[in-house]
Amino acid sequence: MALRYDEQKTPFVDFGNGVKLALNLDEFTDVAAKEKAAKELRETPDVMDASIRKLRELIQQEKQLRLPVQDESFLMRFLRPKKYYPDSTFDMMKAFYRMKARENFISDNLTTASVKNALEDRVVQILPKRDQHGRRILYMEMGAKWNCTKVPALEVIRCTNMLMETVGHEPATQLNGIVFVINFDKLSLSHISQFPPKFVKTVVDHGQKNSPYRIKGIHIVNNARMFNIFFKIFKPFLGKKWSQRIFLHGVEFKSLHEHIEPDCLPSFLGGSYELSVEYDGAVIGQLLDCYKAKFEEEEKYGYVGEVKES
């Protein structure tokens, strides 16, 4: 597994056997994607123009919030998950950047260095292939393969947020969304103790309400008796949409494949493609660092001065 560059000098991770992972930050132009965007997101020229204009006005009225209001691609990244409704988009943006303003917490100053252990221990991974609906697949190890003494829950969440922010810059991901596959094999009480209810509520609220990502499914595998204890911590904070998008598959990959086709999954999830080399989180970090300048520029955006809680 290595970082390479194609003829256009675009970086990609080579997993071997013809399996590659690359980010695509270009706007989609194919007819099928545009039709899907119009149908699912109300993304038509008239709606887009009106929504972008209104969102700019709302941002400019929020004097402490500094954002690149002339950058349409930036604004569309937030408008798409809210289906181009500017008022609800603006509410989400304010909450998103209030969270970013909380120092040493779940989403401020995200860098590969700050989540190095989580990447290298492969607690959170970007799988190289999208699913059959074009969704990005994030894979998490939340059981025996997660050394929570080395990688505490806060770093796991920060790493997850960083990977979501990264793929969230892809217009195709903004359109199609993200799905999670989470492995709870041999979950223990030491893992569960990493998630006190107050922390869980903050993380779940942020993910459900205040983040510009379309989470289309959360697929749980190897969920044994201990998982039921864990899930009781999360369940009170789940809204209707996320509750309907959580699927428990046990040890049956056949059940998982009813939602994500085997062609889209690696062999360790019962899929049909093999990785000729072991997943290397450090190489994924190298890929992310190819876009470091862009992400560092965006870290300058947000609230200036003391931010009041809402």
Side-chain angles (χ1 to χ4, degrees):
M1 180 173 172
L3 181 71
R4 305 189 189 283
Y5 295 84
D6 65 15
E7 295 82 359
Q8 287 74 44
K9 297 185 178 181
T10 301
F12 68 91
V13 174
D14 186 357
F15 284 83
N17 293 334
V19 180
K20 300 177 181 180
L21 169 64
L23 300 179
N24 183 359
L25 305 186
D26 295 332
E27 275 295 331
F28 47 81
T29 56
D30 59 290
V31 173
K34 285 183 169 293
E35 288 179 349
K36 182 176 182 179
K39 181 179 179 180
E40 294 189 9
L41 308 181
R42 304 191 317 132
E43 190 168 303
T44 62
D46 288 347
V47 170
M48 290 169 66
D49 289 347
S51 298
I52 289 171
R53 184 169 59 252
K54 176 63 175 178
L55 183 57
R56 281 177 175 150
E57 293 172 359
L58 292 169
I59 293 170
Q60 289 167 340
Q61 291 169 14
E62 185 85 352
K63 299 302 182 183
Q64 281 187 289
L65 185 58
R66 294 185 182 175
L67 299 176
V69 293
Q70 299 308 316
D71 184 345
E72 287 194 2
S73 64
F74 174 86
L75 299 179
M76 287 166 63
R77 181 156 64 94
F78 286 87
L79 283 162
R80 279 174 167 151
K82 290 297 184 180
K83 301 184 179 181
Y84 283 89
Y85 290 103
D87 291 307
S88 58
T89 300
F90 184 53
D91 288 341
M92 177 183 67
M93 292 180 93
K94 289 186 292 184
F96 179 80
Y97 281 104
R98 286 192 185 103
M99 185 64 72
K100 292 279 280 186
R102 294 180 63 176
E103 294 182 356
N104 303 313
F105 200 44
I106 66 174
S107 60
D108 64 307
N109 298 313
L110 293 175
T111 63
T112 53
S114 71
V115 296
K116 179 176 181 290
N117 288 334
L119 284 172
E120 294 185 357
D121 270 31
R122 298 167 292 183
V123 182
V124 192
Q125 306 176 19
I126 308 176
L127 296 187
K129 291 190 177 184
R130 295 175 180 267
D131 77 358
Q132 67 273 19
H133 303 295
R135 301 163 180 169
R136 277 290 183 199
I137 306 173
L138 297 190
Y139 176 72
M140 300 181 71
E141 290 282 7
M142 298 295 286
K145 292 183 179 180
W146 171 29
N147 181 352
C148 56
T149 59
K150 180 181 179 182
V151 187
L154 180 59
E155 185 172 339
V156 174
I157 299 303
R158 285 177 59 79
C159 185
T160 305
N161 282 337
M162 182 171 187
L163 295 184
M164 286 199 296
E165 283 203 26
T166 299
V167 300
H169 281 75
E170 298 178 296
T173 303
Q174 295 164 18
L175 170 61
N176 298 312
I178 298 169
V179 293
F180 283 85
V181 180
I182 309 177
N183 181 20
F184 281 95
D185 186 34
K186 298 179 182 176
L187 177 73
S188 70
L189 287 174
S190 61
H191 295 121
I192 294 172
S193 67
Q194 291 277 313
F195 293 94
K198 185 177 179 180
F199 177 62
V200 168
K201 183 180 188 307
T202 300
V203 169
V204 173
D205 281 352
H206 182 65
Q208 289 183 123
K209 305 172 185 177
N210 305 327
S211 298
Y213 317 114
R214 304 186 75 200
I215 308 300
K216 306 299 288 186
I218 301 172
H219 298 276
I220 310 297
V221 297
N222 294 314
N223 49 293
R225 182 181 60 86
M226 194 66 74
F227 174 80
N228 295 329
I229 300 171
F230 179 80
F231 193 57
K232 285 181 180 178
I233 303 172
F234 279 77
K235 193 171 183 179
F237 309 119
L238 295 173
K240 182 179 179 181
K241 184 178 289 187
W242 270 29
S243 294
Q244 293 174 338
R245 293 180 179 178
I246 294 176
F247 304 92
L248 308 180
H249 301 292
V251 297
E252 294 295 327
F253 288 143
K254 183 178 179 181
S255 173
L256 174 64
H257 297 163
E258 291 175 2
H259 298 268
I260 304 176
E261 293 180 357
D263 286 351
C264 308
L265 292 169
S267 57
F268 67 82
L269 289 171
S272 60
Y273 70 84
E274 293 283 350
L275 301 180
S276 64
V277 291
E278 193 172 37
Y279 188 100
D280 187 342
V283 177
I284 299 299
Q286 294 171 19
L287 175 66
L288 302 185
D289 280 340
C290 292
Y291 301 90
K292 186 176 180 180
K294 179 179 181 63
F295 296 137
E296 284 182 345
E297 180 65 25
E298 292 200 2
E299 283 292 335
K300 299 175 184 178
Y301 305 154
Y303 278 98
V304 179
E306 186 176 352
V307 180
K308 294 180 181 179
E309 295 290 338
S310 64

